[in-house]
Amino acid sequence: MRKLLFTIFICCLLLVNCVISQELTYKKYTIADGLAQTQVMKTYQDSKGFIWVMTKNGIAQFDGIEFKNYTKKEGLPDFNIKSFVEDRNGMIWTLSKSGISRFTGERFIYYPPVGIGYENIIFQQVLKYFNDHLWFIGNYQGKTRLISFRDGIYTNHSKNNAIIDSLKIDYIQQAKNQNGILLVTNNKIYRWNRDSLIDITPDYTIEDLASLAKYYNCFNRRYSPVTFDWNKLYMIAQEDTLIAPKAATRKGSEILLMNDSIVSKLEWKREYPYNSMMDRDNILWVSSEGGLFKYYSNAFLNFTPDHGLNENIWSVVEDHSGNIWFASFTKGLQMYDGEKLHDRNEIFEVRDEPLYIGAKKLSNGKIFFPSNTGVLQWDGYEFSDVKWVRGQTEIVYENSNTNEIL
């Protein structure tokens, strides 16, 4: 069964169409916009639509207009916030290195970890809600402990289970049909239902897991961002056995946006990205070392010199094949083919002259680029000079009725 599912998944990969964009339209939020601190670690959207922003100096709640900050004064035990979750009653909970806190609507109430059996245990980033419990993991003396929380009481599930106590758990997830809990380690996957611990690790090779983890959202057929700067990537599909832990490749310059047929690459040239989230309106939020980035729409792309575009672009025109041409006053021509920019300055190897504002695609498919000495022509195959034009030319115009060119 697992091999069949993997074969189906690889077929899905072969159908993926990778589209490399330059940069989406975005707004950057920092302390100047009301954030408690600029180093943003993670974001979370609740059922009411609020965006919760986890920084290194507290939590911010964003209503789309302004930020409301919560710090130790509002009940947080520390500033090392790991994760958010909302229960079935709409209650907001957060996990910090000190334990669980509940949001009352005005402040946070902290629940000290009493009865766990360890002093100075440090809680980690995973926080889940299922079976009416909050589930998370903690670290004590180099070992990972599986903890649950309900009605103010912590329960240490590692304490009385020698096998769980020996595991180094990286991730937890409710199993299919609520049939226990999945415990994911760096090389094994277990299903635990309090009575037994079963190894359900897929029999894929490391190479299989690399492809599987990289494109897991394609299999799930849901639109989601993936940042390759996470320490781990997890592929969680309908079959429990398709959950695959995979160490992420460090590629700080790209973020992938995936749906069932397209993988779009978002170029990243700014501060170190920690995490990303797609909200209910399909708006991408990226948490970074230098602030919070909100990407509005993939309908608009920004092309800047940071992404290889020439400076001083004076004219933009589309050819009959859909390529976009950029004419620079100082740097010549570039062509964008939908994936990347190409320098097209072969005609300028023997001369150097500025290009002007009014480039035009004519009805016959040719493009006229005004220049300092006349007009440069592109016919879809090669460049040439328009012989009947002499001297500096700034604008090209074609009469739509007579096709007369001025």
Side-chain angles (χ1 to χ4, degrees):
M1 180 63 177
R2 279 181 261 173
K3 289 298 185 183
L4 175 60
L5 288 171
F6 182 74
T7 301
I8 295 173
F9 187 84
I10 291 300
C11 291
C12 176
L13 293 186
L14 295 176
L15 296 176
V16 169
N17 177 28
C18 291
V19 180
I20 303 176
S21 65
Q22 288 303 301
E23 185 173 52
L24 303 182
T25 301
Y26 68 89
K27 175 176 175 56
K28 180 180 178 180
Y29 297 97
T30 65
I31 56 175
D33 302 289
L35 272 178
Q37 208 259 353
T38 299
Q39 293 171 293
V40 178
M41 307 304 295
K42 191 181 291 187
T43 54
Y44 176 83
Q45 186 176 33
D46 64 24
S47 62
K48 297 180 179 66
F50 291 110
I51 302 293
W52 294 87
V53 185
M54 288 158 266
T55 77
K56 290 187 176 181
N57 193 34
I59 299 169
Q61 183 192 50
F62 186 55
D63 62 5
I65 299 175
E66 61 183 3
F67 294 93
K68 185 175 181 179
N69 295 308
Y70 299 91
T71 64
K72 290 182 179 180
K73 293 181 180 179
E74 288 74 36
L76 290 175
D78 61 72
F79 292 144
N80 199 337
I81 307 301
K82 302 296 185 180
S83 189
F84 266 78
V85 75
E86 184 174 1
D87 66 23
R88 66 177 181 177
N89 298 315
M91 192 70 68
I92 299 295
W93 302 84
T94 185
L95 176 69
S96 73
K97 72 174 183 178
S98 302
I100 293 293
S101 299
R102 176 174 61 88
F103 184 60
T104 66
E106 296 294 333
R107 59 183 291 108
F108 284 87
I109 297 176
Y110 169 57
Y111 296 87
V114 177
I116 291 182
Y118 308 111
E119 294 182 358
N120 301 321
I121 186 171
I122 298 175
F123 296 106
Q124 297 177 319
Q125 69 272 16
V126 178
L127 180 63
K128 298 286 185 176
Y129 175 77
F130 40 77
N131 298 337
D132 291 326
H133 286 72
L134 299 173
W135 294 86
F136 47 97
I137 56 179
N139 186 279
Y140 179 74
Q141 294 184 347
K143 289 188 176 181
T144 307
R145 313 296 178 176
L146 179 63
I147 312 293
S148 69
F149 177 89
R150 182 181 181 182
D151 297 331
I153 299 175
Y154 292 80
T155 301
N156 179 8
H157 300 280
S158 301
K159 187 175 183 180
N160 298 318
N161 191 311
I163 299 179
I164 293 180
D165 185 67
S166 66
L167 299 178
K168 183 173 176 55
I169 304 169
D170 291 322
Y171 191 81
I172 55 177
Q173 176 70 29
Q174 186 172 27
K176 185 181 179 183
N177 299 324
Q178 300 183 1
N179 185 22
I181 298 173
L182 300 176
L183 309 177
V184 183
T185 70
N186 63 344
N187 58 2
K188 294 284 186 179
I189 303 168
Y190 300 90
R191 182 190 291 113
W192 175 66
N193 61 8
R194 298 177 184 268
D195 295 324
S196 62
L197 189 69
I198 304 172
D199 185 347
I200 61 168
T201 306
D203 56 355
Y204 303 140
T205 66
I206 297 298
E207 290 74 17
D208 292 340
L209 293 181
S211 297
L212 205 59
K214 185 175 180 181
Y215 293 102
Y216 73 99
N217 281 310
C218 180
F219 188 90
N220 272 349
R221 293 188 174 272
R222 59 187 178 88
Y223 198 90
S224 180
V226 174
T227 57
F228 279 98
D229 288 278
W230 293 345
N231 292 326
K232 297 286 183 180
L233 292 178
Y234 299 95
M235 193 289 297
I236 303 175
Q238 296 300 316
E239 294 290 334
D240 296 342
T241 51
L242 280 179
I243 297 181
K246 165 69 170 61
T249 302
R250 291 285 178 179
K251 291 185 178 180
S253 63
E254 60 189 42
I255 294 174
L256 300 187
L257 306 178
M258 305 183 187
N259 62 18
D260 59 342
S261 61
I262 297 176
V263 179
S264 299
K265 184 185 295 182
L266 171 63
E267 298 290 338
W268 185 266
K269 298 293 184 181
R270 286 167 300 281
E271 300 89 342
Y272 183 88
Y274 287 113
N275 214 311
S276 56
M277 177 195 74
M278 191 72 71
D279 69 16
R280 65 180 63 180
D281 298 316
N282 284 333
I283 292 175
L284 173 66
W285 299 79
V286 178
S287 307
S288 82
E289 181 72 17
L292 177 65
F293 290 83
K294 176 183 180 181
Y295 286 85
Y296 290 98
S297 170
N298 58 6
F300 294 92
L301 302 180
N302 294 328
F303 297 81
T304 71
D306 287 340
H307 303 101
L309 183 70
N310 286 334
E311 296 179 344
N312 299 317
I313 301 299
W314 278 31
S315 193
V316 181
V317 65
E318 181 182 21
D319 66 21
H320 67 279
S321 299
N323 301 311
I324 307 297
W325 290 80
F326 299 96
S328 167
F329 182 73
T330 56
K331 298 289 185 178
L333 286 169
Q334 287 178 302
M335 183 192 74
Y336 178 66
D337 62 6
E339 293 189 357
K340 59 183 178 179
L341 288 162
H342 304 270
D343 288 328
R344 296 303 304 268
N345 289 325
E346 50 263 40
I347 196 170
F348 294 111
E349 292 179 357
V350 294
R351 70 191 200 201
D352 182 17
E353 61 179 314
L355 298 175
Y356 288 96
I357 295 173
K360 176 74 174 180
K361 181 177 73 173
L362 305 177
S363 57
N364 60 11
K366 295 180 181 180
I367 298 179
F368 277 15
F369 294 100
S371 75
N372 195 48
T373 60
V375 170
L376 178 66
Q377 174 181 260
W378 170 253
D379 63 6
Y381 301 97
E382 61 182 358
F383 293 104
S384 61
D385 289 310
V386 178
K387 301 297 185 181
W388 52 269
V389 182
R390 293 288 184 272
Q392 178 177 317
T393 305
E394 297 189 2
I395 295 175
V396 176
Y397 173 77
E398 182 180 25
N399 188 308
S400 58
N401 294 318
T402 64
N403 299 127
E404 182 182 29
I405 300 171
L406 303 179

